[in-house]
Amino acid sequence: MQIGVNVPNFAPGTNPDLLRQWAQTVEGLGFDLLMVSDHIAVTPDVAEQYPAPFYEPFTTLSWLAGVTHRVRLGTTVLIVPYRHPLLTARMAANLHRLSGGRLVLGVGVGWARQEFEALGVPFRRRGALTDEYLRAMRDAWQNTDDYDTAAIPIWVGGNSDAGMRRAILLGDAWHPLQVTPGWLADAAGRLKATADELDRPAPALMPRINLRQTREAVNAPDRLAGVGTIDQIIADIDQIRLLGAEAVVLDPFNGDLAEIRQPERAWQTLAAVAAYHKSQEDR
């Protein structure tokens, strides 16, 4: 199972130097994926959780492709209705080629109503637009000779039944975000059952979980996967592996903006996870 990291690309203190440090730390520790989030207009509802500056994912990943060599680059998640599908298809194809085939396109429908309004995109149609745009992107890649898109994987985000169905019908993987261990175990079974109902192959399971290490064990029934002692975090990753997931993405941002400016604690936790992961691979 591959392990990735969702690198914070927003908030005061984030700058090109810090993004470079994040990228080189993630690659240097041996992780498989480096992913970033997506917002365009930092409206009040966005800023409440993800304040400016917010580095746009395509331009940011294009730059990070030049300061890394091996790690795959991706979005978790690109908000599909925000951009014309032919523009997204073009940027994704170019980034994929410029990076040596390293792009993973994680996608979602979005949630920030004020941002939709600022961009002139109808919020209530975001699901239908996402489906339409994903089909248009795939058509562009398949039917236009100058797109070099050798297998850009599409990971469809969304924890709802609609998100799961969208992943089955239009994606290569299902990418649920911020889940409890019990919920994810149940959802893995529902993913296969729903795919069988639709007479389609089940997409790969690629969840994104939190990454927050605590000194004491967290025993609350609603504990999110990836939150707790290092032993709990590693146990969560092992459980996800046993569910048949092909990748898991670790998200070190837990709402504490101070940690954006001082990422050393997150890097220490990532180093411990990387060491354990390497020991398992060497067995």
Side-chain angles (χ1 to χ4, degrees):
M1 183 178 72
Q2 294 192 334
I3 301 181
V5 180
N6 186 32
V7 170
N9 57 319
F10 53 85
T14 298
N15 55 44
D17 184 57
L18 185 58
L19 287 166
R20 182 192 299 110
Q21 290 180 57
W22 263 108
Q24 293 175 344
T25 297
V26 168
E27 183 168 69
L29 288 172
F31 287 103
D32 303 288
L33 294 132
L34 183 163
M35 308 189 85
V36 297
S37 300
D38 180 34
H39 283 288
I40 295 176
V42 186
T43 48
D45 51 355
V46 174
E48 187 174 349
Q49 298 185 48
Y50 309 107
F54 204 110
Y55 286 78
E56 193 278 330
F58 280 115
T59 49
T60 302
L61 290 174
S62 295
W63 180 67
L64 292 178
V67 298
T68 57
H69 305 282
R70 173 196 56 81
V71 70
R72 297 169 75 196
L73 307 162
T75 54
T76 176
V77 291
L78 190 84
I79 304 171
V80 175
Y82 284 176
R83 299 167 180 84
H84 192 286
L86 295 184
L87 175 62
T88 302
R90 173 67 65 188
M91 291 192 295
N94 290 170
L95 174 53
H96 193 58
R97 185 168 190 180
L98 290 167
S99 66
R102 289 191 278 157
L103 180 63
V104 174
L105 194 64
V107 300
V109 301
W111 57 269
R113 186 182 294 269
Q114 293 172 354
E115 188 174 22
F116 274 86
E117 293 173 355
L119 294 170
V121 180
F123 182 78
R124 292 182 180 275
R125 295 200 63 236
R126 65 194 188 281
L129 287 172
T130 296
D131 294 348
E132 176 187 335
Y133 286 11
L134 288 176
R135 291 188 179 98
M137 289 159 53
R138 285 198 181 276
D139 286 346
W141 292 339
Q142 293 170 2
N143 298 322
T144 307
D145 291 339
D146 67 338
Y147 283 92
D148 185 358
T149 57
I152 298 176
I154 294 179
W155 296 9
V156 177
N159 296 13
S160 65
D161 290 343
M164 184 183 290
R165 290 173 64 87
R166 183 173 292 111
I168 294 167
L169 296 171
L170 298 172
D172 302 295
W174 184 41
H175 185 50
L177 315 177
Q178 294 187 322
V179 297
T180 66
W183 184 92
L184 186 60
D186 175 72
R190 288 192 289 112
L191 179 66
K192 184 179 185 309
T194 304
D196 289 344
E197 290 174 6
L198 295 171
D199 196 26
R200 299 290 294 268
L205 177 63
M206 312 282 204
R208 189 182 91 197
I209 65 172
N210 289 58
L211 183 73
R212 180 166 67 86
Q213 184 178 353
T214 61
R215 293 183 180 180
E216 303 294 332
V218 179
N219 297 314
D222 59 348
R223 179 185 71 88
L224 293 173
V227 175
T229 63
I230 190 63
D231 289 340
Q232 287 182 297
I233 293 169
I234 287 172
D236 289 339
I237 294 172
D238 281 343
Q239 180 189 10
I240 291 169
R241 181 184 292 110
L242 292 173
L243 290 175
E246 296 183 15
V248 61
V249 177
L250 309 178
D251 187 353
F253 178 64
N254 295 284
D256 186 347
L257 297 178
E259 291 188 358
I260 295 281
R261 296 185 291 272
Q262 299 175 326
E264 290 79 11
R265 182 180 176 185
W267 291 348
Q268 290 174 0
T269 303
L270 287 170
V273 171
Y276 174 78
H277 184 56
K278 186 176 187 304
S279 71
Q280 295 300 105
E281 289 185 329
D282 292 343
R283 289 176 62 179

